[in-house]
Amino acid sequence: MCGIVAVIGSREAAPLLLGGLRQLEYRGYDSAGLATLKILGNDQPGLLTCRKAKGKLVNLSSLVEEDGSPGHLGIGHTRWATHGKPEVHNAHPHTDSLSRVAVVQNGIIENYRSLKQELETDGVEFVSDTDTEVIPHLISRELRYLQEEGLSANEATLLKAVQRVIKQLKGAYALAVIWVDTPDAIVVARNQAPLVIGLGEGEFLCASDTPALAGFTKTILPMEDGEVALLTPLGIELYNHQGDRQQRTPSLLTGGEYFADKSNFRHFMLKEIHEQPDIAELWVARHLPAGLPEEAPVALPFDSSFYESIDQIQILACGTSRHAALVGAYLLEQFAGIPTSVFYASEFRYSPPPLAPNTLTIGVTQSGETADTLAALAMETQRRKANQDPAFAPRLLGITNRTESSLARQIPNILDTGAGIEIGVAATKTFLGQLFAFYGLAINFAARRKSRSSQEILSLCNDLRSVPNHLRSLVDTHDELAEELAHIFAETQDVIFLGRGINYPIALEGALKLKEISYIHAEGYPAGELKHGPIALLDQRVPVISIAVPGIVFDKVLSNSQEAKARDAQLIGVTPDLQGDEIFDSLLPIPEVSELISPLLTVVPMQLFSYHIAAHRGLDVDQPRNLAKSVTVE
Ligand code: M6R
């Protein structure tokens, strides 16, 4: 996590850094800092100014406004704490003992303990609890060695020092370095953490993610793993891990520019929940236009070879994306007839199942930057490539909302969830986009494998066409309804969510949403599991939200809900109006639709319920504590 920015050019750096950090705040927001370098004159070291503030970026902005931070070059950081509490002394940039080298870093330096010990033996005193602080000290030491070897204090020396230091670092990181002796140079480097250079008119801005380039430039140069770049007002020098100069043509950023805007909504999350009908409409218009061929009833960007000879599917994801994957697995197995397994990416990386032939591996990540998902996919690709048998060759698909992300660069086949940038840390509209992607895949697999009749496929397509309208009336009516209910339960300590079959993942998602933004303990269970333990938790203080949709498990869910009610639990039904009103104490009614498409609707009351509880409790809905939108550390 964390976001880093570096800028060099002819304008004041501090406002550009703050502007970039504002767009990266989704990556972490427990503290922020920047350092600028002002040129004082020929052959004089530059003036290094370092400003840091605990809490949101706005605190840093006020500090910079009051105290200033002069210079046309600088580096900035917005933090999500990994090593060391969110305090000013742990905020980046970190410097060497003489405050001559300053560094911002996103990632984790895994071998920092041994490096720190070694530096302490050399007499270095550390002032923070972070892993990052070893870097400026190491660079400072290498600069000293290089100068003792006869090199002068110029940007080539800084570059060399950074190149030497990154050979000593283990872990995934992106970093930016400045040195008072080179007040017109920045060195940046990346290893398994994103970093993109934006090329402006006589200025360069380097950042963890493209939104930081909004309003600056559309010409970009994404850096590759192991690369180091020297940025000066004259241009960019790019080097690979071996130190060989690289020449790469910059590319044009498409659709990556945005400025965060809440419209008239109180929070981004609420705005994003309300955007879902439009996202559904867009998906239907793009992917379900009339007159598609029978073998590809949903328009996806893959030719027939993509679907051929797939015997099974494995899906790797984290958090909400994993919940979408669980709905996807249900569709792929129950509708398209393909055995499908879903894995936590973080678990898969270290304990993958034995290799199976003809397997499609799908990585789902809205940000396209989740470290565990990217690493799990890379590991799977490697072990498959190592196998000579073509049946084991990697077959990969990425589902993401960010088509310019690291995932999209790592994997050739990408399904764009097309939900537009999501700012709220709690995923809502991107979850819906992921669900739609799985419906599209399942329908196409079913059509090509002939696991469903044309009539069944047509019927599902028609049901999907009705979703935008259903969603529109749901978001309109449920906002108030969910708010009323949320006020009743705002002070509750625990909530249990129940679902079964295709709606079990929605129970998990409902519980995750509530935990994330309201800090209320919540668990999602398959309703049939309640009696195997969790029922012991129930009494009149524990509300149970039960998703009961007419279909194969409807009666079962109702019975399981009765079991909860018999233990005095307050029962809230996410169910069609007429079916449930005798069992449930309160209703979040949903339209009566086929069970197969119901997750596209049942998730909305969950989102709104959590949102209103958190808003009622006066919490920071869009930037909940301890979380970040993009989880770029392991
Ligand atoms: O970007 P990703 O979809 O890979 O992110 C995965 C999770 O970190 C993410 O879904 C997280 O659980 C969200 N905050 C959920 O609202």
Side-chain angles (χ1 to χ4, degrees):
M1 349 269 250
C2 304
I4 67 171
V5 188
V7 70
I8 181 165
S10 52
R11 290 189 271 172
E12 275 296 307
L16 291 172
L17 292 171
L18 288 168
L21 290 177
R22 205 161 294 127
Q23 301 298 330
L24 295 182
E25 219 184 352
Y26 72 88
R27 301 175 72 90
Y29 37 78
D30 58 41
S31 56
L34 57 80
T36 52
L37 260 182
K38 182 176 159 69
I39 299 180
L40 294 179
N42 284 347
D43 300 330
Q44 276 194 62
L47 171 73
L48 181 81
T49 309
C50 203
R51 306 276 180 230
K52 303 179 187 194
K54 187 177 162 177
K56 299 280 176 68
L57 185 64
V58 62
N59 300 344
L60 177 68
S61 300
S62 313
L63 189 68
V64 172
E65 212 166 281
E66 277 165 32
D67 298 348
S69 196
H72 295 130
L73 161 166
I75 54 180
H77 188 268
T78 179
R79 181 167 188 250
W80 184 85
T82 59
H83 296 62
K85 289 192 168 166
E87 301 288 349
V88 170
H89 72 282
N90 288 327
H92 299 217
H94 292 285
T95 65
D96 64 331
S97 308
L98 296 175
S99 290
R100 293 174 59 78
V101 173
V103 172
V104 289
Q105 193 252 143
N106 160 38
I108 293 181
I109 307 304
E110 287 170 357
N111 59 335
Y112 86 100
R113 277 188 201 84
S114 56
L115 293 169
K116 188 171 174 176
Q117 253 168 23
E118 184 191 312
L119 287 158
E120 280 174 335
T121 313
D122 273 5
V124 172
E125 281 181 25
F126 281 76
V127 295
S128 79
D129 314 309
T130 65
D131 52 333
T132 303
E133 197 188 341
V134 295
I135 305 173
H137 292 301
L138 288 169
I139 293 173
S140 176
R141 185 169 75 177
E142 289 304 331
L143 285 168
R144 202 176 63 237
Y145 292 162
L146 287 165
Q147 287 176 292
E148 283 166 9
E149 286 166 27
L151 271 72
S152 45
N154 58 26
E155 46 281 359
T157 306
L158 175 62
L159 175 71
K160 204 172 227 52
V162 175
Q163 283 170 325
R164 282 188 181 182
V165 167
I166 59 174
K167 289 209 161 63
Q168 301 166 46
L169 305 179
K170 290 204 179 107
Y173 55 80
L175 52 90
V177 185
I178 54 177
W179 181 32
V180 290
D181 283 351
T182 52
D184 51 4
I186 303 178
V187 175
V188 293
R190 73 156 269 182
N191 185 45
Q192 294 168 39
L195 205 52
V196 54
I197 302 173
L199 292 78
E201 299 260 321
E203 54 188 4
F204 301 101
L205 193 148
C206 182
S208 302
D209 197 359
T210 51
L213 303 172
F216 185 85
T217 184
K218 279 189 169 286
T219 312
I220 60 163
L221 191 67
M223 288 178 69
E224 303 287 343
D225 273 342
E227 283 185 341
V228 182
L230 170 68
L231 314 180
T232 70
L234 300 178
I236 302 170
E237 289 177 22
L238 189 66
Y239 297 87
N240 67 9
H241 187 58
Q242 285 78 38
D244 302 326
R245 183 86 184 257
Q246 304 293 294
Q247 298 291 350
R248 240 193 346 265
T249 315
S251 50
L252 218 53
L253 190 60
T254 48
E257 185 168 341
Y258 74 93
F259 290 99
D261 169 27
K262 270 192 250 177
S263 303
N264 290 326
F265 291 93
R266 193 168 150 207
H267 293 101
F268 280 108
M269 182 181 175
L270 189 59
K271 177 183 173 228
E272 286 155 3
I273 292 172
H274 278 261
E275 280 171 1
Q276 293 179 113
D278 291 343
I279 289 158
E281 201 163 278
L282 205 67
W283 189 87
V284 168
R286 272 190 198 151
H287 299 288
L288 279 178
L292 286 167
E294 225 169 67
E295 74 279 8
V298 176
L300 297 182
F302 311 126
D303 57 29
S304 53
S305 64
F306 174 84
Y307 301 92
E308 276 160 19
S309 67
I310 303 275
D311 291 339
Q312 56 196 310
I313 297 177
Q314 55 186 16
I315 315 179
L316 319 180
C318 305
T320 287
S321 294
R322 185 176 153 276
H323 298 156
L326 289 169
V327 175
Y330 185 100
L331 292 166
L332 289 161
E333 288 198 328
Q334 306 302 321
F335 190 76
I338 312 175
T340 304
S341 319
V342 177
F343 297 88
Y344 288 104
S346 54
E347 290 296 310
F348 185 93
R349 313 178 52 167
Y350 300 108
S351 48
L355 275 188
N358 306 320
T359 303
L360 173 66
T361 305
I362 305 180
V364 191
T365 158
Q366 82 78 22
S367 63
E369 301 295 348
T370 296
D372 283 318
T373 309
L374 297 183
L377 287 166
M379 185 276 286
E380 183 64 357
T381 311
Q382 281 316 314
R383 70 175 184 143
R384 286 188 174 271
K385 277 188 177 158
N387 193 303
Q388 303 303 312
D389 185 339
F392 290 91
R395 296 167 164 85
L396 301 166
L397 167 67
I399 299 181
T400 185
N401 200 43
R402 302 295 302 276
T403 52
E404 77 293 0
S405 63
S406 300
L407 178 87
R409 288 198 291 276
Q410 188 173 320
I411 285 189
N413 294 318
I414 288 291
L415 259 188
D416 178 6
T417 46
I421 293 280
E422 188 175 65
I423 309 276
V425 163
T428 52
K429 62 173 182 171
T430 54
F431 177 72
L432 188 89
Q434 292 169 342
L435 293 187
F436 271 114
F438 278 114
Y439 280 95
L441 270 181
I443 289 172
N444 277 9
F445 269 114
R448 285 168 197 270
R449 295 165 75 91
K450 308 227 176 303
S451 43
R452 290 284 167 165
S453 68
S454 320
Q455 201 42 49
E456 285 170 309
I457 288 172
L458 189 69
S459 157
L460 177 53
C461 290
N462 283 338
D463 284 348
L464 287 170
R465 288 190 175 96
S466 72
V467 170
N469 281 342
H470 285 311
L471 279 175
R472 222 169 280 289
S473 61
L474 254 188
V475 290
D476 286 348
T477 54
H478 274 59
D479 214 350
E480 219 169 292
L481 218 57
E483 188 170 9
E484 277 168 26
L485 212 57
H487 290 186
I488 300 172
F489 292 104
E491 296 313 318
T492 191
Q493 304 278 309
D494 305 277
V495 181
I496 302 291
F497 290 79
L498 299 179
R500 265 184 110 140
I502 198 166
N503 275 298
Y504 161 53
I506 304 302
L508 294 177
E509 178 59 6
L512 179 64
K513 286 290 87 85
L514 191 63
K515 280 185 269 205
E516 279 190 294
I517 59 169
S518 74
Y519 319 144
I520 290 173
H521 172 247
E523 297 297 338
Y525 290 107
E529 270 298 297
L530 192 66
K531 56 189 173 294
H532 297 289
I535 201 163
L537 294 169
L538 299 186
D539 60 26
Q540 70 284 1
R541 289 166 304 178
V542 181
V544 171
I545 301 189
S546 187
I547 309 168
V549 175
I552 41 180
V553 286
F554 184 49
D555 292 333
K556 309 286 169 203
V557 177
L558 292 182
S559 306
N560 301 142
S561 307
Q562 295 274 22
E563 290 156 14
K565 194 174 171 154
R567 271 79 190 174
D568 292 332
Q570 285 284 312
L571 209 53
I572 302 163
V574 176
T575 184
D577 208 350
L578 298 174
Q579 308 279 2
D581 53 2
E582 282 154 27
I583 300 174
F584 297 103
D585 299 304
S586 333
L587 278 191
L588 287 169
I590 49 147
E592 196 167 343
V593 294
S594 90
E595 190 180 25
L596 216 50
I597 63 155
S598 62
L600 294 161
L601 306 182
T602 53
V603 71
V604 175
M606 306 289 169
Q607 297 167 341
L608 284 167
F609 180 72
S610 301
Y611 167 77
H612 283 295
I613 287 201
H616 187 69
R617 288 161 71 105
L619 298 171
D620 192 343
V621 173
D622 289 328
Q623 295 186 330
R625 71 184 182 199
N626 305 340
L627 300 181
K629 186 76 184 157
S630 192
V631 185
T632 57
V633 291
E634 191 177 345

